[in-house]
Amino acid sequence: MNSGKRATRLRATNSAIASGCPPRKLPATRVRSNIPILLTRLEVWSMRRQDAPPWVAGGAMPSDETHLLLVHGAFHAGWCWDRLLPHLTERGIEASVVDLPFTSQADDWRTVEEAIDRLAQAGRRVVVVGHSHGGSVISGAGYRADHLVYLTALMTAPDDEFDLGGAPGMSAIVVDGDTAGIDPSQAAAAFYHRCDPADGEWATGRLRPMPIATLRADGEPEPAWRTVASTYIV
């Protein structure tokens, strides 16, 4: 999706913090029941886009050279893909995750860039998947990827903005000085409302706070999706 849809420029305000982690996201704890839907949507996109990844077209699996690099959203870490990875392995899809450091936006970009470079140097065709806030990260870090996949994610672009301050679940975000986090008592309703309660509890216990600065887009370059073939999955 290199044209048409433009995305967000995040502001460092309490309401825009929510933009980093929309409440009706598709967390990994829901992926066990949604993986068939996800694969179906990839197949639909392959019929619409000639530049879709070759492992999507016709339901074919990726070649040995294709690698999915999975990038999580705000307040989460690489663990949020734990429910998805076994399904990918069963389908012969090679994948790995990154843990964004949440120390600065530049550090998050660098973490993804370095992972892309390592995989490319190993001869892999790198398809980077970003979810929620992870979409804004891959927009700033995915220039050397072979394909970008935005999984219900933000597609950032300079000077674009929106405000999710009034969206359901935003009250779960707690701001303490320069740091934002999730109120554990509201996490299940905000993120995991379609999960098994045990899964929601498991995920809630692993959420982490993050500096507000990591959600800012000051000095954001032209997004990678304008030059790298991209797919958006709702």
Side-chain angles (χ1 to χ4, degrees), residues 55-175:
W55 52 270
V56 174
M61 290 297 102
S63 68
D64 291 340
E65 292 76 27
T66 299
H67 188 103
L68 296 189
L69 180 65
L70 306 174
V71 182
H72 60 83
F75 310 113
H76 291 67
W79 56 261
C80 73
W81 302 103
D82 285 357
R83 300 293 199 263
L84 174 63
L85 290 171
H87 293 279
L88 296 176
T89 299
E90 290 173 1
R91 290 163 174 79
I93 301 173
E94 182 182 283
S96 62
V97 306
V98 297
D99 281 316
L100 299 177
F102 288 161
T103 48
S104 71
Q105 188 182 65
D107 289 345
D108 287 349
W109 288 344
R110 188 177 303 110
T111 297
V112 175
E113 289 171 342
E114 291 175 352
I116 292 171
D117 289 344
R118 284 194 301 270
L119 291 167
Q121 290 169 7
R124 295 297 187 263
R125 180 180 185 275
V126 186
V127 177
V128 184
V129 180
H131 170 58
S132 191
H133 170 67
S136 65
V137 176
I138 70 174
S139 290
Y143 304 98
R144 295 189 290 275
D146 293 287
H147 200 99
L148 302 175
V149 176
Y150 290 81
L151 178 59
T152 56
L154 301 174
M155 292 184 71
T156 57
D159 302 321
D160 285 351
E161 59 189 47
F162 66 75
D163 185 358
L164 291 179
M170 291 301 96
S171 60
I173 298 175
V174 178
V175 178

Side-chain angles (χ1 to χ4, degrees), residues 28-48:
T29 49
R30 289 169 50 190
V31 88
R32 285 178 296 179
S33 61
N34 284 284
I35 188 66
I37 299 173
L38 171 59
L39 295 176
T40 299
R41 287 175 177 171
L42 285 171
E43 292 170 3
V44 170
W45 270 101
S46 73
M47 292 186 289
R48 295 179 179 177

